[in-house]
Amino acid sequence: MSRKKIRMIIVLATLSLAGLLGVQLTWLQKAYSLEEKEFNLAVNVALQHISQKILADSGLTAATPPVQQLSSSFFLAQVNAPIEAKELDTLLKKEFSKRRLEVNYEYGILNASDDTLVFGNYVPATHPKKEADNAPESSAENGMVTGKKAAGRYNFAVVFPGKTTYIFSEMTLWLYSTLALLVVVIFFAYTLLSILKEKKLSEMKENFINNMTHELQTPITNIAIASEMLRTQGNSLPPHKTERYHQIIYQENERLKAQVERVLQMAVLEKKELALRKTSTNVHQVIQDTMQSLHLRLQKRAGQVHFNLQAENAEILADSLHLTNVVYNLLDNAEKYSPQAPEIEVSTRNHQNGILISIADKGLGISKEVQQYVFDKFYRVPTGNLHNVKGFGLGLSYVKTIMEAHQGTIQLNSRENQGSRFELYFPFAS
């Protein structure tokens, strides 16, 4: 599927889910608002009935409805009449139970003249029936007695501290449907990221196959041409040309072996079959030996290598073959990604009970946007108009895997057109 079609599908699916989620949240908000109105209405009716009962028992009447909702969860009944705490407690439980308002609440009796609290009590959402028959044990302040009606005039207030939780508990179906939709959205996002990741991996694999085909075809073609010349004209060729064709066959065969070995190494790593053969290895010796392999290439390009090997203890426990491959990969990249005469600096120093190896160049560098991908398998750093950089995109992935197998780390510091510096840290064996 083309990138354009994938992008279109992603955009349409995202817009559809975003619209669906928006509609769901809108309906959830409306459902909450309706539940809240229903709750407020039930409380108002219950408190109105209680107020009328208190006024009727006292032989009083109210010119206006005594119940006011002063905030979302605070209700005040201005009855301005004698109130017995036990009777109020019983009436509240009865009226709330009748309307199935199974919610925690606090009520208080206030002095009508100055709104001071003379009695208060907390009632949980679930309580035994016998509690309705038990009078509150605490006695009121300012002369308020809970066992009989006081001569003074009082109001009462009710507060619902768990109102929001109660309303949400009444919206179970809406909450489950919203949660289910959120799960769908999360699953969609996960699927989307997986598709994009697989698409990217597919593209990198395709580039890898194209690069591998080219990299393997070139030495095979050169070997075939040199072999054909030796087969058909071997007896008539001058000795120096015969030697030259032999050298071509040998060099191209070594190049072919190296390419195949690199692919096989990654296949082993992917299967988690890497078995390190750790021995005492001198890092400085490995660096010197590896440089011999690159000496001719650097010499042809007038390249320079500056050594600053300051590590006093250069012996580590490592797999010398893989360590050599790690150093070679980094030096090889430093040479390949230097468009002019390569200038490479190799340094070592002891650091935090280990050894730090630094390999720096003054080549193309790597932009910050792609630095997070350079250690991914098959990824190759874009080189713009520079098309002579060969490779499979396996080198740095291999390097990172080997470093992790040695309990080491690798860090990259690079700026575009200003070169790159790779730092390898190998801990000493404890």
Side-chain angles (χ1 to χ4, degrees):
M1 187 179 294
S2 66
R3 186 186 296 271
K4 184 177 180 181
K5 287 184 178 180
I6 292 178
R7 188 181 296 113
M8 184 179 298
I9 292 173
I10 291 172
V11 170
L12 291 176
T14 302
L15 290 176
S16 300
L17 280 177
L20 186 60
L21 185 59
V23 170
Q24 180 70 16
L25 292 177
T26 300
W27 279 108
L28 185 63
Q29 183 181 10
K30 289 184 177 181
Y32 180 87
S33 180
L34 289 174
E35 288 287 343
E36 185 178 28
K37 288 180 180 179
E38 183 179 344
F39 177 87
N40 293 340
L41 178 61
V43 172
N44 267 286
V45 171
L47 297 184
Q48 289 286 359
H49 285 180
I50 295 171
S51 299
Q52 291 172 5
K53 178 70 168 60
I54 292 174
L55 289 169
D57 290 346
S58 303
L60 302 173
T61 58
T64 59
V67 179
Q68 298 179 28
Q69 183 175 357
L70 302 182
S71 68
S72 175
S73 58
F74 184 83
F75 295 81
L76 175 65
Q78 294 180 310
V79 293
N80 195 20
I83 300 176
E84 182 185 343
K86 178 180 178 181
E87 180 185 8
L88 178 61
D89 185 76
T90 303
L91 289 173
L92 286 171
K93 291 177 180 178
K94 179 180 177 181
E95 290 294 332
F96 288 167
S97 177
K98 184 187 301 183
R99 289 162 181 78
R100 299 184 181 277
L101 293 174
E102 299 178 359
V103 58
N104 301 336
Y105 64 90
E106 299 173 0
Y107 70 89
I109 299 175
L110 312 173
N111 197 316
S113 61
D114 56 9
D115 288 335
T116 56
L117 180 68
V118 295
F119 180 83
N121 193 22
Y122 172 81
V123 182
T126 57
H127 49 272
K129 292 182 179 180
K130 64 179 181 180
E131 286 188 5
D133 300 325
N134 295 332
E137 295 178 358
S138 58
S139 58
E141 300 173 359
N142 299 331
M144 181 68 183
V145 181
T146 62
K148 62 180 180 179
K149 289 190 179 179
R153 298 295 181 95
Y154 303 95
N155 300 321
F156 69 92
V158 182
V159 180
F160 299 91
K163 175 183 175 181
T164 302
T165 304
Y166 171 78
I167 292 176
F168 275 121
S169 68
E170 295 294 305
M171 299 170 56
T172 306
L173 181 61
W174 283 99
L175 293 176
Y176 281 160
S177 62
T178 304
L179 181 61
L181 183 58
L182 288 175
V183 171
V184 171
V185 171
I186 293 173
F187 178 74
F188 168 76
Y190 173 77
T191 304
L192 178 61
L193 292 175
S194 298
I195 290 174
L196 293 177
K197 186 176 181 180
E198 289 297 325
K199 176 66 176 175
K200 180 183 176 182
L201 185 60
S202 176
E203 291 176 351
M204 289 193 296
K205 282 186 176 181
E206 184 177 348
N207 292 333
F208 164 73
I209 292 173
N210 292 335
N211 291 331
M212 184 179 69
T213 302
H214 176 76
E215 290 286 308
L216 297 182
Q217 187 64 40
T218 300
I220 290 174
T221 302
N222 292 338
I223 290 173
I225 293 173
S227 299
E228 182 65 19
M229 291 297 295
L230 290 175
R231 187 181 69 83
T232 58
Q233 303 180 27
N235 295 330
S236 59
L237 288 174
H240 69 278
K241 285 192 175 182
T242 301
E243 179 62 24
R244 176 59 181 161
Y245 286 132
H246 281 142
Q247 186 177 7
I248 290 174
I249 292 173
Y250 176 79
Q251 289 177 343
E252 293 301 317
N253 180 64
E254 290 298 311
R255 178 182 172 187
L256 186 60
K257 284 171 57 179
Q259 301 289 15
V260 173
E261 180 63 25
R262 186 171 297 180
V263 176
L264 292 177
Q265 285 174 351
M266 291 308 300
V268 170
L269 294 177
E270 189 171 276
K271 292 179 180 179
K272 312 293 184 183
E273 295 177 354
L274 178 64
L276 297 179
R277 298 180 179 177
K278 294 184 178 181
T279 58
S280 182
T281 305
N282 188 288
V283 172
H284 291 170
Q285 188 62 48
V286 169
I287 293 173
Q288 296 289 353
D289 293 342
T290 306
M291 284 304 308
Q292 295 299 321
S293 303
L294 293 169
H295 179 71
L296 290 178
R297 281 169 51 186
L298 289 168
Q299 192 176 41
K300 288 181 181 179
R301 299 185 59 194
Q304 294 182 349
V305 180
H306 305 285
F307 293 98
N308 187 22
L309 309 181
Q310 295 183 349
E312 296 180 0
N313 183 3
E315 294 285 335
I316 62 173
L317 192 64
D319 187 306
S320 59
L321 174 62
H322 287 295
L323 176 59
T324 301
N325 290 337
V326 165
V327 176
Y328 179 86
N329 271 291
L330 295 179
L331 290 173
D332 181 57
N333 283 344
E335 185 271 328
K336 288 193 300 186
Y337 288 96
S338 296
Q340 306 301 326
E343 188 172 347
I344 303 172
E345 179 185 358
V346 182
S347 61
T348 65
R349 62 186 176 91
N350 290 121
H351 176 71
Q352 294 182 351
N353 197 31
I355 186 169
L356 193 67
I357 307 171
S358 175
I359 299 177
D361 63 71
K362 297 182 179 180
L364 296 175
I366 304 172
S367 65
K368 289 185 177 180
E369 291 76 13
V370 303
Q371 287 183 20
Q372 57 181 321
Y373 305 117
V374 296
F375 296 107
D376 291 348
K377 197 186 327 180
F378 306 124
Y379 184 82
R380 299 189 66 212
V381 177
T383 55
N385 296 324
L386 190 65
H387 300 291
N388 61 339
V389 179
K390 310 298 183 182
F392 296 159
L394 296 176
L396 291 180
S397 175
Y398 168 79
V399 169
K400 183 179 180 182
T401 303
I402 296 302
M403 291 303 299
E404 291 175 348
H406 284 82
Q407 288 77 49
T409 60
I410 179 170
Q411 291 185 343
L412 166 64
N413 294 300
S414 181
R415 297 183 64 181
E416 201 166 8
N417 299 319
Q418 295 187 27
S420 302
R421 177 183 296 273
F422 288 89
E423 292 185 343
L424 309 174
Y425 172 72
F426 287 93
F428 292 136
S430 55

